[in-house]
Amino acid sequence: MPLVLALETSCDESAAAIVRDQTVLASVVASQVEEHARWGGVVPEIASRRHVEAMPQLIEQVCRDSGVAISELDGVAASVAPGLVGALLVASVTGRTLARLHGKPFVAVHHLEGHLCSVQLGEPLPPGPYLVLLVSGGHTELIRVDGPGRYIRLGRSHDDAAGEAFDKVARLLGLGYPGGPAIEAAGLDGDPLRFALPKGRVSRPEGGFYPYDFSFSGLKTAMLRQVRALEAEHRAGNEPLPLADLAASFEQVVAQVLVERSCRCAREQSLGTLVLVGGVAANRRLRQLMEQRCGLDGLAWRVAPFAYCTDNAAMIGVAAAQRLAGGQSSCFDLGVAARMPLEQAGLLYESQPCF
Ligand code: KG4
Ligand code: ZN
C-alpha cells in the first residue's frame, strides 16, 4: 500500500496530493484559470511562474491536511510528460529534489496514465480489459486497458482535441476561457437540435472512414459559418445571437460523436466496460448521453469522479502508487517532454533516462 506525495504542473493547474494506493488523504489544486482567461488561453511563461510560486504552499497544505510527514512517504511522484515543458519542470524538479533529500524513490508519471487512473478514485471497475475514452484539452483518445501500464490506442483525433474545440468555439461565441464550462453554462436552456452541425469523420486513404477516429476542425469551421450567417441576419433586425441554442447544439454534436464512436469501438472490440476520463468528462450532457447509450448497448460504464476529471495530483498519485507497487521507480536524471505517446509510459521506469 504505497504512500505517495504527487505533484502536477503540466498545464495551468498547480496541484499536490497525498495518496495511499487508491485513497486520497489530501488533494489541493490551485487554478490559474482567471489569470489566463485575460489572454483567452494558457500563456506558458505565466503558467511556469505561478507553479513555482504555488508549489511550496501546496506541499505544506497536503502534509498538514493528511497529517503525513515527508519522512513517512514511500515515494515522491510528478507528472513529466506530455505538457508544457517549462510548466512540467516545476513538478519534476521539486519532486526529484524532495525525493533525493529525503532518500525516497522518485516516480515519474505519464500525465495521461494519471487521467486513466482517475477512474479508480470512484466506484470499483468490473474485472477484465476495458475501453477508456480520454477527452481533455490536449487529447481525444480511445485506449484499450489490459492492466496497469498495458495500453493500446484504438482511436484518436486527427486535429483538435475535444476540449480544445470547446475552448476555440467558446472564444468564437465570446464566452471566455476555459470553454468547456462556459459552453455548458451558456447552453443549459438552449435547444440542442436547432442547428445541424457536422460529425467530422476521417477518411482512409484506401477509401471509407476510420471508425474510431475523430476530427473536430470541420465542426469549428461550421460553427464559424453559422455564427457569421446569423450575425448578418440578426444585424438587420438588431437582435442578439441565439447563444444558448448555438452552445447547446455544439455541445450535443460533440457528445454524440464521442458516445457513438466509443460505444461502437467497445462493442466491436468485445470490451464490456467503457470508462470516461479527462477534463471534458466533467460535461453533464456527455455523461448523460454516455450513460443512456451504454445502457442500450449493454455496456458497463464508469466515469471519473467530477472533482478528478480536470487536472489534479490525486490521479498522478494513484498511477505512481501502482508503479511503485509493481517495483518501478524512475532515475533522478529523468527530465520532461512535451510529447510522449501513452504506450511508451514504461520508458519512464528504465535505469537510463529516456529524455
Ligand atoms: O484534463 P484537463 O484539465 O487538462 C488537460 O490535460 O488538457 O482538460 C481541460 C479541458 C479544457 O479544454 C476544458 O475546456 C475542458 O477540459 N472542460 C470541459 C468541461 N470542463 C472542462 N469541457 C466540456 N464541459 C465541461 N464541463
Ligand atoms: Zn490533463
Side-chain angles (χ1 to χ4, degrees):
M1 299 252 285
L3 181 64
V4 174
L5 164 69
L7 309 175
E8 157 64 45
T9 59
S10 64
C11 191
D12 59 348
E13 323 274 10
S14 321
I18 292 186
V19 167
R20 189 188 294 281
D21 243 10
Q22 296 170 7
T23 306
V24 182
L25 304 185
S27 172
V28 278
V29 179
S31 179
Q32 309 171 357
V33 155
E34 277 176 27
E35 193 154 358
H36 295 291
R38 288 170 47 205
W39 308 98
V42 178
V43 182
E45 174 63 24
I46 295 180
S48 314
R49 228 185 303 158
R50 295 293 169 258
H51 290 316
V52 173
E53 289 163 2
M55 213 19 84
Q57 287 147 34
L58 294 177
I59 294 171
E60 268 175 29
Q61 190 179 335
V62 289
C63 287
R64 214 172 35 237
D65 291 355
S66 63
V68 170
I70 305 261
S71 57
E72 297 172 63
L73 297 169
D74 295 307
V76 180
S79 68
V80 298
L84 302 170
V85 165
L88 286 165
L89 273 171
V90 178
S92 159
V93 170
T94 311
R96 281 183 285 158
T97 307
L98 273 177
R100 184 67 111 188
L101 284 175
H102 292 267
K104 308 287 178 189
F106 171 64
V107 191
V109 173
H110 192 291
H111 180 77
L112 299 188
E113 183 167 294
H115 275 298
L116 256 54
C117 287
S118 65
V119 71
Q120 295 175 31
L121 294 165
E123 278 180 59
L125 282 164
Y130 54 90
L131 182 69
V132 178
L133 171 63
L134 189 160
V135 266
S136 68
H139 296 84
T140 299
E141 303 197 351
L142 279 167
I143 301 154
R144 178 191 164 114
V145 179
D146 286 292
R150 292 166 60 209
Y151 313 120
I152 303 170
R153 190 172 70 180
L154 300 175
R156 68 185 171 99
S157 173
H158 285 241
D159 39 58
D160 293 349
E164 198 178 350
F166 269 97
D167 295 336
K168 288 179 176 169
V169 167
R171 202 175 312 152
L172 167 72
L173 298 177
L175 293 173
Y177 176 86
I183 288 193
E184 180 159 17
L188 220 52
D189 297 319
D191 174 3
L193 304 178
R194 168 144 176 216
F195 300 105
L197 295 163
K199 293 180 180 175
R201 295 204 286 179
V202 184
S203 307
R204 275 194 168 117
E206 64 272 27
F209 298 96
Y210 291 107
Y212 314 141
D213 285 2
F214 305 92
S215 165
F216 293 106
S217 63
L219 172 59
K220 200 179 54 196
T221 314
M223 283 296 289
L224 178 66
R225 281 211 201 96
Q226 189 63 70
V227 167
R228 295 286 172 264
L230 285 165
E231 275 171 352
E233 251 175 59
H234 285 231
R235 210 170 293 132
N238 235 348
E239 285 170 61
L241 279 179
L243 281 182
D245 293 348
L246 282 165
S249 300
F250 169 78
E251 206 185 10
Q252 176 77 10
V253 78
V254 173
Q256 272 179 342
V257 165
L258 292 172
V259 167
E260 282 165 11
R261 281 179 212 162
S262 43
C263 286
R264 174 177 178 179
C265 181
R267 283 194 320 267
E268 292 180 355
Q269 302 294 317
S270 307
L271 296 163
T273 305
L274 212 157
V275 165
L276 183 58
V277 299
V280 182
N283 186 272
R284 266 158 284 203
R285 201 182 294 268
L286 174 60
R287 287 170 171 244
Q288 263 166 18
L289 280 184
M290 189 65 100
E291 183 169 15
Q292 279 166 12
R293 186 56 185 261
C294 285
L296 291 172
D297 287 359
L299 298 167
W301 95 289
R302 293 285 185 278
V303 61
F306 191 79
Y308 300 119
C309 286
T310 46
D311 287 348
N312 64 88
M315 66 185 193
I316 304 298
V318 174
Q322 236 163 47
R323 292 287 182 177
L324 264 181
Q328 291 179 308
S329 64
S330 308
C331 75
F332 281 93
D333 299 335
L334 185 70
V336 300
R339 295 174 175 277
M340 182 185 209
L342 177 62
E343 288 95 329
Q344 291 177 10
L347 296 180
L348 301 176
Y349 310 102
E350 305 220 317
S351 53
Q352 291 300 314
C354 57
F355 41 69

